Amino acid sequence: MANPRLRGWRKWAKKDWAIAAVGFTIILFALTLLFDSRNPTSSSSSSTFNLPSNHHLIPLTLLHRAKATGAFCLDGSLPGYHFQEGFGSGSNNWLLHIEGGGWCNSIETCEIRKRTALGSSKYMDRLIPFDGILSHQSSQNPDFYNWNIVKMRYCDGASLAGHPESEFKNGTKLFFRGQLIWEAIMSELLSLGLSKAKQALLTGCSAGGLATLIHCDDFRAHLPKDATVKCLADAGFFLDEPDILGNRTMSNFYHDVVQLQGVAKSLHEECITEMEPSKCIFPQQIIENIRTPLFIVNPAYDFWQIQHILVPAGSDPDGYWRRCRLSIQKCDSTQIENLQGFRSSLLKALSKLQHDKEGGMFINSCFVHCQTWTAETWHSSNSPRINNKTIAESVGDWYFNRKVTKEIDCPYPCNPTCYHMDFTQPS
């Protein structure tokens, strides 16, 4: 199933596609437009979109107390979050969502990033809608709609895991304070009532999904022992796989991120004593040490991973993969065979979670990326389904122990409910 809402924005998205280090900025923005735009025929590249009259916009709160601990975005501005208070039976329950947006792996890419909303609160939207898992509408978010809901903005470029000891290389003023940002926002939310939570869920999309995995047990440690606390990573299970030429493109990229921002200090000590620290940022290694119940939402054919891990642009000089990497529906039989191998690698990396009685997963066969933060993919009449259940229904069954939920879709192209992104269509 292709969503026509993207068509007005494809030209813009393709133009900036090659900026891999900051590419998540573009991809997430394009996806926001895809699902949030109420004008599918527009060809403007503006971020403005129409909202129904009952759609509430949630204001940005800047973390002024962060000055005391030095918890700053890449450019030195204050970090922030959006908060919508819970009500009724959800008044003592909390859902925290960490925004995604890739990473910067060099002084140059961090310099670019600090001039965007993913590196500075100066550029963040002051009002944003809450959809999907963040929604306060029961029809869109049946199990968590009345909880206290927080969206943590992402502005450090290292999945909230950078450390200041690695700053000011080559005389460039950049703030690597992701770990401090995490701690400062948690401190503020604990003072607002999170410390008394009865139920809590930490979640995040993409690089925010990776941040969820990194901080999952720390989140659990801050909350009451008798509280139900779990974690959900959406499109954050990045694979340590070679590309089609056999190069370790993603491994090399993560090595640069970990070295640049001192990320090793935020990773599991058991792992970094056994192997090279940058290996320990891959989710397959992280889940070996997570003790908190965990749910993974991931498409088996995650388009970002296909375009940047399996077939990065530099690995396809002759353009054989050009159309396939932009639309799974344009792949030939040989390319599909390669994609099925990538799917097999994902399932193998998830084998520990498959045997974890407290774990859960929803691995569908869609060519998409994040799926929890938009109504169309989280829970609607047209949402992707496995065994006739939406992602929201599957996550709810797992969180509230209604049913063991380990949903693994059949291989592409078997699922007619999928949204398949297609970046080859003309604008």
Side-chain angles (χ1 to χ4, degrees):
M1 181 189 302
N3 193 317
R5 292 178 181 174
L6 180 62
R7 292 173 185 165
W9 310 98
R10 283 195 179 101
K11 183 177 181 181
W12 180 89
K14 287 169 70 177
K15 179 181 69 175
D16 295 291
W17 200 261
I19 310 175
V22 248
F24 268 124
T25 313
I26 295 145
I27 292 167
L28 292 177
F29 178 63
L31 287 172
T32 301
L33 295 172
L34 160 63
F35 293 120
D36 287 336
S37 173
R38 282 6 187 210
N39 183 9
T41 62
S42 172
S43 60
S44 168
S45 60
S46 166
S47 62
T48 302
F49 48 85
N50 298 318
L51 293 166
S53 58
N54 64 345
H55 202 124
H56 300 293
L57 295 173
I58 313 303
L60 175 68
T61 298
L62 293 178
L63 197 65
H64 291 284
R65 66 170 65 184
K67 292 179 181 178
T69 58
F72 299 124
C73 297
L74 274 175
D75 70 332
S77 60
L78 295 174
Y81 63 90
H82 303 260
F83 172 48
Q84 186 163 219
E85 192 173 357
F87 59 92
S89 61
S91 296
N92 293 317
N93 302 332
W94 289 74
L95 187 150
L96 277 62
H97 177 87
I98 305 174
E99 180 182 29
W103 312 270
C104 55
N105 68 329
S106 67
I107 295 295
E108 292 74 22
T109 56
C110 289
E111 281 287 340
I112 295 170
R113 188 183 182 96
K114 80 176 190 180
R115 295 176 177 86
T116 74
L118 291 170
S120 172
S121 58
K122 296 175 184 177
Y123 303 100
M124 292 177 184
D125 290 335
R126 265 39 191 176
L127 295 168
I128 65 168
F130 272 15
D131 286 315
I133 197 171
L134 306 179
S135 175
H136 262 350
Q137 299 179 33
S138 58
S139 60
Q140 196 180 130
N141 192 20
D143 283 307
F144 308 109
Y145 72 94
N146 61 351
W147 287 28
N148 296 285
I149 297 178
V150 177
K151 180 170 183 175
M152 300 171 65
R153 300 304 296 265
Y154 175 40
C155 66
D156 78 296
S159 289
L160 298 181
H163 288 261
E165 292 81 1
S166 296
E167 288 174 0
F168 309 131
K169 293 182 178 179
N170 299 330
T172 304
K173 191 171 184 180
L174 290 166
F175 293 83
F176 299 150
R177 309 289 177 93
Q179 180 67 39
L180 292 175
I181 292 172
W182 162 258
E183 293 170 1
I185 293 181
M186 278 296 295
S187 176
E188 177 140 316
L189 296 178
L190 288 166
S191 72
L192 294 176
L194 178 61
S195 62
K196 300 178 181 178
K198 301 296 184 184
Q199 297 174 313
L201 177 63
L202 177 66
T203 180
C205 148
S206 195
L210 180 62
T212 296
L213 297 174
I214 291 172
H215 296 294
C216 180
D217 282 342
D218 184 63
F219 180 68
R220 161 71 272 187
H222 279 87
L223 301 184
K225 292 183 178 180
D226 61 349
T228 300
V229 182
K230 300 185 180 185
C231 301
L232 162 64
D234 175 16
F237 207 91
F238 299 96
L239 295 179
D240 184 10
E241 286 290 305
D243 65 26
I244 54 173
L245 295 181
N247 298 319
R248 291 278 174 178
T249 303
M250 195 63 184
S251 182
N252 293 335
F253 182 85
Y254 269 167
H255 177 271
D256 292 344
V257 174
V258 170
Q259 291 296 312
L260 180 68
Q261 296 215 35
V263 172
K265 292 183 178 181
S266 292
L267 303 177
H268 285 280
E269 185 176 353
E270 297 92 335
C271 183
I272 63 175
T273 58
E274 295 176 359
M275 62 185 71
E276 206 280 322
S278 63
K279 293 291 184 182
C280 300
I281 198 173
F282 281 100
Q284 183 176 0
Q285 301 301 331
I286 296 175
I287 65 173
E288 290 292 325
N289 295 295
I290 290 180
R291 299 181 301 277
T292 307
L294 175 66
F295 195 101
I296 298 293
V297 174
N298 226 89
Y301 312 96
D302 183 324
F303 73 74
W304 193 93
Q305 294 203 51
I306 289 171
Q307 293 164 355
H308 294 87
I309 299 179
L310 182 63
V311 196
S315 70
D316 185 36
D318 297 327
Y320 169 62
W321 281 85
R322 183 180 63 83
R323 287 170 62 79
C324 175
R325 67 195 293 274
L326 297 179
S327 171
I328 196 170
Q329 296 165 319
K330 305 296 192 299
C331 299
D332 63 30
S333 59
T334 301
Q335 291 166 332
I336 289 294
E337 186 177 347
N338 275 272
L339 298 186
Q340 303 298 18
F342 196 73
R343 172 183 179 271
S344 296
S345 295
L346 172 65
L347 298 182
K348 181 179 179 181
L350 286 168
S351 59
K352 180 182 185 296
L353 193 62
Q354 291 183 47
H355 296 99
D356 182 350
K357 64 179 182 180
E358 292 187 308
M361 64 181 69
F362 190 100
I363 311 298
N364 59 16
S365 294
C366 307
F367 188 72
V368 69
H369 192 47
C370 295
Q371 299 181 88
T372 61
W373 57 284
T374 61
E376 283 84 351
T377 48
W378 172 244
H379 186 69
S380 72
S381 59
N382 296 319
S383 291
R385 285 170 164 75
I386 302 178
N387 294 325
N388 203 34
K389 285 199 171 184
T390 65
I391 297 172
E393 291 168 331
S394 300
V395 170
D397 283 348
W398 162 77
Y399 187 90
F400 295 103
N401 299 319
R402 295 190 294 245
K403 182 182 177 182
V404 174
T405 306
K406 291 183 171 66
E407 303 290 359
I408 299 176
D409 211 351
C410 48
Y412 174 86
C414 69
N415 191 338
T417 69
C418 272
Y419 280 102
H420 296 303
M421 303 293 283
D422 184 355
F423 296 98
T424 67
Q425 294 296 317
S427 58

